[in-house]
Coordinates of all heavy atoms in Angstrom, one line a residue:
L1 N 0.7 8.1 12.9 CA -0.4 7.2 12.7 C -0.2 5.9 13.5 O -1.1 5.5 14.2 CB -0.5 6.9 11.2 CG -0.8 8.0 10.3 CD1 -0.7 7.6 8.8 CD2 -2.1 8.7 10.6
T2 N 0.9 5.2 13.3 CA 1.2 4.0 14.0 C 2.7 3.7 13.9 O 3.4 4.4 13.2 CB 0.3 2.8 13.4 OG1 0.5 1.7 14.2 CG2 0.8 2.5 12.0
R3 N 3.1 2.7 14.6 CA 4.5 2.3 14.6 C 4.6 0.9 14.2 O 3.8 0.1 14.5 CB 5.1 2.5 16.0 CG 5.2 3.9 16.5 CD 5.8 3.9 17.9 NE 5.7 5.3 18.3 CZ 6.8 6.0 18.8 NH1 8.0 5.4 18.8 NH2 6.7 7.2 19.2
F4 N 5.7 0.7 13.5 CA 6.1 -0.7 13.0 C 7.5 -1.1 13.4 O 8.3 -0.2 13.6 CB 6.0 -0.8 11.5 CG 4.6 -0.6 11.0 CD1 4.2 0.7 10.4 CD2 3.6 -1.5 11.0 CE1 3.0 0.9 9.9 CE2 2.3 -1.3 10.5 CZ 2.1 -0.1 9.9
S5 N 7.8 -2.3 13.6 CA 9.1 -2.7 14.0 C 10.0 -2.7 12.8 O 11.3 -2.7 13.0 CB 9.1 -4.1 14.6 OG 8.6 -5.1 13.7
E6 N 9.5 -2.7 11.6 CA 10.3 -2.6 10.4 C 10.1 -1.2 9.7 O 9.1 -0.6 9.9 CB 9.9 -3.7 9.4 CG 10.1 -5.1 10.0 CD 9.6 -6.2 9.0 OE1 10.4 -6.6 8.2 OE2 8.4 -6.5 9.1
K7 N 11.0 -0.9 8.8 CA 11.0 0.3 8.1 C 9.9 0.4 7.1 O 9.6 -0.6 6.4 CB 12.4 0.6 7.4 CG 12.4 1.8 6.7 CD 13.8 1.9 6.0 CE 13.8 3.2 5.1 NZ 15.1 3.2 4.3
I8 N 9.2 1.5 7.0 CA 8.1 1.7 6.0 C 8.9 2.0 4.6 O 9.7 2.8 4.6 CB 7.2 2.8 6.3 CG1 6.4 2.5 7.6 CG2 6.3 3.2 5.1 CD1 5.5 3.5 8.0
G9 N 8.5 1.3 3.6 CA 9.1 1.5 2.3 C 8.4 2.6 1.6 O 8.1 3.7 2.1
H10 N 7.9 2.3 0.4 CA 7.2 3.3 -0.4 C 5.8 3.5 0.2 O 5.2 2.6 0.6 CB 7.1 2.9 -1.9 CG 8.4 2.7 -2.5 ND1 9.1 1.6 -2.5 CD2 9.2 3.6 -3.1 CE1 10.3 1.7 -3.2 NE2 10.3 3.0 -3.5
I11 N 5.3 4.7 0.0 CA 3.9 5.0 0.5 C 3.2 5.9 -0.5 O 3.9 6.9 -1.0 CB 4.0 5.6 2.0 CG1 2.5 5.8 2.5 CG2 4.7 6.9 2.0 CD1 2.5 6.0 4.0
F12 N 1.9 5.7 -0.8 CA 1.2 6.5 -1.7 C -0.2 6.7 -1.2 O -0.8 5.9 -0.5 CB 1.1 5.7 -3.1 CG 2.4 5.4 -3.7 CD1 3.0 4.2 -3.4 CD2 3.1 6.3 -4.5 CE1 4.2 3.8 -4.0 CE2 4.3 6.0 -5.1 CZ 4.9 4.8 -4.8
W13 N -0.8 7.8 -1.6 CA -2.2 8.1 -1.3 C -3.0 7.4 -2.4 O -2.8 7.7 -3.6 CB -2.5 9.6 -1.3 CG -2.0 10.3 -0.2 CD1 -0.9 11.1 -0.1 CD2 -2.6 10.4 1.1 NE1 -0.8 11.6 1.2 CE2 -1.8 11.2 1.9 CE3 -3.8 9.9 1.7 CZ2 -2.2 11.5 3.3 CZ3 -4.1 10.1 2.9 CH2 -3.3 10.9 3.7
L14 N -3.9 6.6 -2.0 CA -4.9 6.0 -3.0 C -6.0 7.0 -3.2 O -6.4 7.3 -4.3 CB -5.5 4.7 -2.5 CG -4.5 3.5 -2.3 CD1 -5.3 2.3 -1.7 CD2 -3.9 3.2 -3.6
T15 N -6.5 7.6 -2.1 CA -7.6 8.6 -2.2 C -7.2 9.5 -1.0 O -6.2 9.4 -0.3 CB -9.0 8.0 -1.9 OG1 -9.1 7.6 -0.6 CG2 -9.3 6.9 -2.9
D16 N -8.1 10.5 -0.7 CA -7.9 11.3 0.4 C -7.9 10.6 1.8 O -7.4 11.1 2.8 CB -9.0 12.4 0.5 CG -8.9 13.4 -0.6 OD1 -7.8 13.5 -1.3 OD2 -9.8 14.2 -0.9
Y17 N -8.5 9.4 1.8 CA -8.6 8.7 3.1 C -7.9 7.3 3.1 O -8.0 6.6 4.2 CB -10.1 8.4 3.4 CG -10.9 9.7 3.5 CD1 -11.7 10.2 2.5 CD2 -10.8 10.5 4.6 CE1 -12.4 11.4 2.6 CE2 -11.4 11.7 4.8 CZ -12.2 12.2 3.8 OH -12.9 13.4 3.9
Y18 N -7.2 7.0 2.1 CA -6.5 5.7 2.1 C -5.1 5.8 1.6 O -4.8 6.4 0.6 CB -7.3 4.7 1.1 CG -8.6 4.3 1.6 CD1 -9.8 5.0 1.3 CD2 -8.8 3.2 2.4 CE1 -11.0 4.6 1.8 CE2 -10.0 2.8 2.9 CZ -11.1 3.5 2.6 OH -12.3 3.1 3.0
L19 N -4.2 5.1 2.4 CA -2.8 5.1 2.1 C -2.5 3.6 1.7 O -3.0 2.7 2.3 CB -2.0 5.5 3.2 CG -2.0 6.9 3.7 CD1 -1.4 7.0 5.1 CD2 -1.4 7.8 2.7
I20 N -1.6 3.4 0.8 CA -1.0 2.1 0.5 C 0.5 2.2 0.7 O 1.1 3.1 0.2 CB -1.4 1.6 -0.9 CG1 -1.0 0.1 -1.0 CG2 -0.8 2.4 -2.0 CD1 -1.7 -0.6 -2.2
F21 N 1.1 1.2 1.4 CA 2.5 1.2 1.6 C 3.0 -0.2 1.9 O 2.2 -1.1 2.0 CB 2.8 2.1 2.8 CG 2.1 1.7 4.1 CD1 2.7 1.0 5.0 CD2 0.8 2.2 4.3 CE1 2.0 0.6 6.2 CE2 0.1 1.8 5.5 CZ 0.7 1.0 6.4
N22 N 4.4 -0.3 2.0 CA 4.9 -1.6 2.3 C 5.7 -1.5 3.6 O 6.4 -0.4 3.8 CB 5.7 -2.3 1.2 CG 6.9 -1.5 0.8 OD1 6.9 -0.4 0.3 ND2 8.1 -2.1 1.0
V23 N 5.6 -2.5 4.4 CA 6.4 -2.6 5.6 C 7.0 -4.0 5.6 O 6.3 -5.0 5.6 CB 5.5 -2.5 6.9 CG1 6.4 -2.7 8.1 CG2 4.9 -1.1 7.0
G24 N 8.3 -4.1 5.5 CA 9.0 -5.4 5.3 C 8.5 -6.0 4.0 O 8.5 -5.4 3.0
N25 N 8.0 -7.2 4.1 CA 7.5 -7.9 2.9 C 6.0 -7.8 2.7 O 5.4 -8.4 1.7 CB 7.8 -9.4 3.0 CG 9.3 -9.7 2.8 OD1 10.1 -8.9 2.3 ND2 9.8 -10.8 3.3
K26 N 5.3 -7.0 3.6 CA 3.9 -6.9 3.5 C 3.5 -5.6 2.8 O 4.1 -4.5 3.1 CB 3.2 -7.0 4.9 CG 3.4 -8.4 5.5 CD 2.7 -8.5 6.8 CE 2.9 -9.9 7.3 NZ 2.2 -10.1 8.6
I27 N 2.4 -5.7 2.0 CA 1.9 -4.4 1.4 C 0.6 -4.2 2.2 O -0.3 -5.1 2.3 CB 1.6 -4.6 -0.1 CG1 2.9 -4.9 -0.8 CG2 0.8 -3.4 -0.6 CD1 2.8 -5.2 -2.2
K28 N 0.4 -3.0 2.7 CA -0.8 -2.7 3.6 C -1.6 -1.5 3.1 O -1.0 -0.7 2.3 CB -0.2 -2.3 5.0 CG 0.5 -3.5 5.7 CD 1.0 -3.0 7.1 CE 1.6 -4.2 7.8 NZ 0.6 -5.0 8.5
V29 N -2.8 -1.5 3.4 CA -3.7 -0.4 3.1 C -4.2 0.1 4.4 O -4.7 -0.6 5.3 CB -4.9 -0.8 2.2 CG1 -5.9 0.4 2.0 CG2 -4.4 -1.3 0.9
A30 N -4.2 1.5 4.6 CA -4.6 2.1 5.9 C -5.7 3.1 5.5 O -5.6 3.9 4.6 CB -3.5 2.8 6.6
E31 N -6.8 3.0 6.3 CA -7.9 4.0 6.2 C -7.7 5.1 7.2 O -7.6 4.9 8.4 CB -9.2 3.3 6.4 CG -10.4 4.2 6.3 CD -11.7 3.5 6.7 OE1 -11.7 2.7 7.6 OE2 -12.7 3.8 6.0
I32 N -7.6 6.3 6.7 CA -7.3 7.5 7.6 C -8.6 8.4 7.5 O -9.0 8.8 6.5 CB -6.2 8.3 7.0 CG1 -4.9 7.5 6.7 CG2 -5.8 9.5 7.9 CD1 -4.4 6.8 7.9
D33 N -9.2 8.6 8.7 CA -10.4 9.4 8.8 C -10.5 10.0 10.2 O -9.6 9.9 11.0 CB -11.6 8.7 8.3 CG -11.9 7.4 9.2 OD1 -11.5 7.3 10.3 OD2 -12.5 6.4 8.6
N34 N -11.7 10.6 10.5 CA -11.8 11.3 11.7 C -12.2 10.4 12.9 O -12.3 10.9 14.0 CB -12.9 12.4 11.6 CG -12.5 13.4 10.6 OD1 -11.3 13.6 10.4 ND2 -13.5 14.1 10.0
R35 N -12.4 9.1 12.7 CA -12.8 8.3 13.8 C -11.6 8.0 14.7 O -10.4 8.3 14.3 CB -13.3 6.9 13.2 CG -14.6 7.1 12.5 CD -15.2 5.9 11.9 NE -14.3 5.6 10.7 CZ -14.5 4.5 9.9 NH1 -15.4 3.7 10.2 NH2 -13.7 4.3 8.9
D36 N -11.8 7.4 15.8 CA -10.7 7.2 16.8 C -9.8 6.0 16.4 O -8.8 5.8 17.2 CB -11.3 7.0 18.1 CG -12.2 5.8 18.3 OD1 -12.6 5.2 17.2 OD2 -12.6 5.4 19.4
R37 N -10.1 5.2 15.4 CA -9.2 4.1 15.0 C -8.7 4.2 13.6 O -9.5 4.6 12.8 CB -10.0 2.8 15.2 CG -9.9 2.1 16.6 CD -10.6 0.8 16.6 NE -9.9 -0.2 15.7 CZ -10.4 -1.2 15.1 NH1 -11.7 -1.4 15.2 NH2 -9.7 -2.0 14.4
I38 N -7.6 3.7 13.4 CA -7.1 3.5 12.0 C -7.3 2.1 11.6 O -6.9 1.1 12.3 CB -5.6 3.8 11.9 CG1 -5.3 5.3 12.3 CG2 -5.0 3.5 10.6 CD1 -3.8 5.6 12.4
N39 N -8.1 1.9 10.5 CA -8.3 0.6 10.0 C -7.2 0.2 9.1 O -6.8 1.0 8.2 CB -9.6 0.5 9.3 CG -10.8 0.7 10.2 OD1 -10.8 0.1 11.3 ND2 -11.8 1.5 9.8
M40 N -6.5 -1.0 9.2 CA -5.4 -1.3 8.4 C -5.6 -2.8 8.0 O -5.9 -3.6 8.9 CB -4.1 -1.1 9.2 CG -2.9 -1.1 8.3 SD -1.4 -0.6 9.2 CE -2.0 0.8 10.1
I41 N -5.3 -3.1 6.8 CA -5.3 -4.5 6.3 C -4.0 -4.9 5.6 O -3.4 -4.0 5.0 CB -6.5 -4.8 5.4 CG1 -6.5 -4.0 4.2 CG2 -7.8 -4.6 6.2 CD1 -7.3 -4.6 3.1
D42 N -3.6 -6.1 5.6 CA -2.6 -6.6 4.8 C -3.1 -7.0 3.4 O -4.1 -7.8 3.4 CB -1.9 -7.8 5.5 CG -1.1 -7.5 6.7 OD1 -0.9 -6.3 7.0 OD2 -0.8 -8.4 7.4
L43 N -2.6 -6.4 2.4 CA -3.2 -6.6 1.1 C -2.5 -7.8 0.4 O -3.1 -8.6 -0.3 CB -3.0 -5.3 0.2 CG -3.6 -5.3 -1.2 CD1 -5.1 -5.4 -1.1 CD2 -3.2 -4.1 -1.9
A44 N -1.2 -7.9 0.6 CA -0.4 -9.0 -0.1 C 1.0 -9.0 0.6 O 1.4 -8.2 1.4 CB -0.2 -8.7 -1.6
E45 N 1.8 -10.1 0.2 CA 3.1 -10.3 0.8 C 4.0 -10.8 -0.4 O 3.6 -11.7 -1.1 CB 3.1 -11.3 1.8 CG 4.4 -11.4 2.6 CD 4.3 -12.1 4.0 OE1 3.2 -12.3 4.5 OE2 5.3 -12.5 4.5
F46 N 5.1 -10.1 -0.5 CA 6.1 -10.4 -1.5 C 7.5 -10.3 -0.9 O 7.7 -9.6 0.1 CB 6.0 -9.4 -2.7 CG 4.8 -9.4 -3.5 CD1 3.7 -8.6 -3.2 CD2 4.7 -10.2 -4.6 CE1 2.5 -8.6 -3.9 CE2 3.5 -10.2 -5.4 CZ 2.5 -9.4 -5.0
E47 N 8.5 -10.9 -1.5 CA 9.9 -10.8 -1.1 C 10.4 -9.5 -1.5 O 10.4 -9.1 -2.7 CB 10.8 -11.9 -1.7 CG 10.6 -13.3 -1.1 CD 11.0 -13.3 0.4 OE1 12.1 -12.7 0.7 OE2 10.3 -13.9 1.2
K48 N 10.8 -8.7 -0.5 CA 11.5 -7.3 -0.8 C 10.7 -6.5 -1.8 O 11.3 -6.1 -2.9 CB 12.9 -7.5 -1.2 CG 13.7 -8.3 -0.1 CD 15.2 -8.4 -0.6 CE 15.9 -9.3 0.4 NZ 17.3 -9.7 -0.1
P49 N 9.4 -6.2 -1.6 CA 8.7 -5.6 -2.6 C 9.1 -4.1 -2.8 O 9.4 -3.4 -1.8 CB 7.3 -5.7 -2.1 CG 7.4 -5.7 -0.6 CD 8.7 -6.5 -0.4
E50 N 9.0 -3.6 -4.0 CA 9.1 -2.2 -4.3 C 7.7 -1.9 -5.0 O 7.4 -2.6 -5.9 CB 10.3 -1.9 -5.2 CG 11.6 -2.0 -4.5 CD 12.7 -1.5 -5.4 OE1 12.5 -0.4 -6.0 OE2 13.7 -2.2 -5.5
I51 N 7.0 -0.9 -4.4 CA 5.6 -0.7 -5.0 C 5.6 0.6 -5.7 O 6.3 1.6 -5.3 CB 4.5 -0.9 -3.9 CG1 4.7 0.2 -2.8 CG2 4.5 -2.3 -3.3 CD1 3.5 0.3 -1.8
F52 N 4.7 0.7 -6.7 CA 4.5 1.9 -7.4 C 3.0 2.0 -7.8 O 2.4 1.0 -8.3 CB 5.3 1.9 -8.8 CG 6.7 1.6 -8.6 CD1 7.2 0.3 -8.6 CD2 7.6 2.6 -8.3 CE1 8.5 0.0 -8.4 CE2 8.9 2.3 -8.1 CZ 9.4 1.1 -8.2
W53 N 2.4 3.1 -7.3 CA 1.0 3.3 -7.6 C 0.7 4.2 -8.7 O 1.3 5.3 -8.8 CB 0.4 4.0 -6.3 CG -1.1 4.4 -6.5 CD1 -1.4 5.7 -6.4 CD2 -2.2 3.7 -6.7 NE1 -2.8 5.8 -6.7 CE2 -3.3 4.5 -6.8 CE3 -2.4 2.3 -6.8 CZ2 -4.6 4.1 -7.0 CZ3 -3.7 1.8 -7.0 CH2 -4.8 2.7 -7.1
S54 N -0.1 3.8 -9.7 CA -0.5 4.6 -10.8 C -1.9 5.2 -10.6 O -2.9 4.5 -10.6 CB -0.5 3.7 -12.1 OG -1.1 4.5 -13.2
Q55 N -1.8 6.5 -10.3 CA -3.1 7.2 -10.0 C -4.0 7.2 -11.3 O -5.2 7.1 -11.3 CB -2.8 8.7 -9.6 CG -4.1 9.4 -9.1 CD -4.6 8.8 -7.9 OE1 -3.9 8.4 -7.0 NE2 -5.9 8.8 -7.8
K56 N -3.3 7.3 -12.5 CA -4.1 7.3 -13.7 C -4.8 6.0 -14.0 O -6.0 6.0 -14.3 CB -3.1 7.5 -14.9 CG -3.7 7.6 -16.2 CD -2.7 7.8 -17.3 CE -3.3 7.6 -18.7 NZ -2.3 7.6 -19.7
D57 N -4.1 4.8 -13.8 CA -4.6 3.5 -14.1 C -5.4 2.9 -12.9 O -6.1 1.9 -13.0 CB -3.6 2.6 -14.5 CG -2.8 3.0 -15.8 OD1 -3.4 3.7 -16.6 OD2 -1.7 2.6 -16.0
K58 N -5.1 3.5 -11.7 CA -5.8 2.9 -10.4 C -5.2 1.5 -10.2 O -5.9 0.7 -9.7 CB -7.2 3.0 -10.5 CG -7.9 4.3 -10.8 CD -7.6 5.3 -9.8 CE -8.4 6.5 -10.1 NZ -7.7 7.7 -10.1
K59 N -3.9 1.3 -10.5 CA -3.4 0.0 -10.4 C -2.1 0.0 -9.6 O -1.4 1.1 -9.6 CB -3.1 -0.7 -11.7 CG -4.4 -1.0 -12.5 CD -4.1 -1.7 -13.8 CE -5.4 -1.9 -14.5 NZ -5.2 -2.6 -15.7
L60 N -1.8 -1.0 -8.9 CA -0.5 -1.1 -8.1 C 0.4 -2.0 -8.9 O 0.1 -3.1 -9.3 CB -0.8 -1.7 -6.7 CG 0.4 -1.8 -5.8 CD1 0.9 -0.5 -5.4 CD2 0.0 -2.7 -4.6
Y61 N 1.7 -1.5 -9.0 CA 2.8 -2.3 -9.6 C 3.7 -2.8 -8.5 O 4.1 -2.0 -7.6 CB 3.6 -1.5 -10.6 CG 2.7 -1.1 -11.8 CD1 1.9 0.0 -11.8 CD2 2.8 -1.8 -13.0 CE1 1.1 0.3 -12.9 CE2 2.1 -1.4 -14.1 CZ 1.2 -0.4 -14.1 OH 0.5 0.0 -15.1
V62 N 4.1 -4.0 -8.4 CA 5.0 -4.5 -7.5 C 6.1 -5.2 -8.1 O 6.0 -6.1 -8.9 CB 4.2 -5.6 -6.5 CG1 5.2 -6.1 -5.5 CG2 3.0 -5.0 -5.9
L63 N 7.3 -4.7 -7.7 CA 8.6 -5.4 -8.2 C 9.1 -6.2 -7.0 O 9.3 -5.7 -5.9 CB 9.6 -4.3 -8.6 CG 11.0 -4.9 -8.9 CD1 11.0 -5.8 -10.1 CD2 12.0 -3.7 -9.2
S64 N 9.2 -7.5 -7.2 CA 9.7 -8.4 -6.2 C 10.7 -9.4 -6.8 O 10.4 -10.2 -7.7 CB 8.5 -9.3 -5.7 OG 9.0 -10.2 -4.7
E65 N 12.0 -9.2 -6.3 CA 13.0 -9.9 -6.9 C 13.2 -9.6 -8.4 O 13.4 -8.5 -8.7 CB 13.0 -11.4 -6.6 CG 13.0 -11.7 -5.1 CD 12.8 -13.2 -4.8 OE1 12.1 -13.9 -5.4 OE2 13.5 -13.6 -3.8
T66 N 12.9 -10.5 -9.3 CA 13.1 -10.2 -10.8 C 11.7 -10.2 -11.4 O 11.6 -10.2 -12.6 CB 14.0 -11.2 -11.5 OG1 13.4 -12.6 -11.3 CG2 15.4 -11.2 -10.9
N67 N 10.6 -10.2 -10.7 CA 9.3 -10.3 -11.2 C 8.5 -9.0 -11.0 O 8.7 -8.3 -10.0 CB 8.4 -11.4 -10.6 CG 9.0 -12.8 -10.8 OD1 9.3 -13.1 -12.0 ND2 9.3 -13.5 -9.8
V68 N 7.7 -8.6 -12.0 CA 6.8 -7.5 -11.8 C 5.4 -8.0 -11.8 O 5.0 -8.8 -12.7 CB 7.0 -6.5 -13.0 CG1 6.0 -5.3 -12.9 CG2 8.4 -5.9 -13.0
Y69 N 4.6 -7.5 -10.8 CA 3.2 -7.9 -10.7 C 2.3 -6.6 -10.9 O 2.7 -5.6 -10.4 CB 3.0 -8.5 -9.3 CG 3.8 -9.7 -9.0 CD1 5.0 -9.6 -8.5 CD2 3.4 -11.0 -9.4 CE1 5.8 -10.7 -8.2 CE2 4.1 -12.1 -9.2 CZ 5.4 -12.0 -8.5 OH 6.1 -13.1 -8.3
L70 N 1.2 -6.8 -11.4 CA 0.2 -5.8 -11.6 C -1.1 -6.1 -11.1 O -1.6 -7.2 -11.4 CB 0.1 -5.5 -13.2 CG -0.9 -4.5 -13.6 CD1 -0.6 -3.1 -13.1 CD2 -1.0 -4.5 -15.2
S71 N -1.7 -5.2 -10.3 CA -3.0 -5.5 -9.7 C -4.1 -5.2 -10.7 O -3.9 -4.5 -11.7 CB -3.2 -4.6 -8.4 OG -3.4 -3.3 -8.8
G72 N -5.3 -5.6 -10.4 CA -6.5 -5.1 -11.1 C -6.8 -3.7 -10.6 O -6.0 -3.2 -9.8
N73 N -7.8 -3.1 -11.0 CA -8.1 -1.7 -10.5 C -8.5 -1.8 -9.1 O -9.3 -2.6 -8.7 CB -9.3 -1.2 -11.3 CG -9.0 -0.8 -12.7 OD1 -7.9 -0.9 -13.1 ND2 -10.0 -0.3 -13.4
L74 N -7.8 -1.0 -8.3 CA -8.0 -1.0 -6.8 C -9.1 0.0 -6.4 O -9.7 0.0 -5.4 CB -6.8 -0.6 -6.1 CG -5.7 -1.7 -6.2 CD1 -4.4 -1.3 -5.3 CD2 -6.2 -3.1 -5.7
L75 N -9.5 0.9 -7.4 CA -10.5 2.0 -7.1 C -11.4 2.0 -8.3 O -11.0 1.7 -9.4 CB -9.8 3.4 -7.0 CG -8.8 3.5 -5.8 CD1 -8.1 4.8 -5.8 CD2 -9.6 3.3 -4.4
P76 N -12.6 2.5 -8.0 CA -13.6 2.6 -9.2 C -13.2 3.7 -10.1 O -12.5 4.6 -9.8 CB -14.9 2.9 -8.5 CG -14.6 3.1 -7.1 CD -13.2 2.7 -6.8

């Protein structure tokens, strides 16, 4: 899909066309489809994040240092 200078951490499918993952301290969302370009955005930035996606709740959990963060619903 693409290359990064840093190692990709955890990666999860949000839907059939969207991936969420962390690269270094950034959490990114990538749109994967049949078009010629991959759309990618930086969602957030945390120190050494470990991310966990809950398909049931449609929420992202982020562990950064000693703190746990919880997103709102990322999908309808």
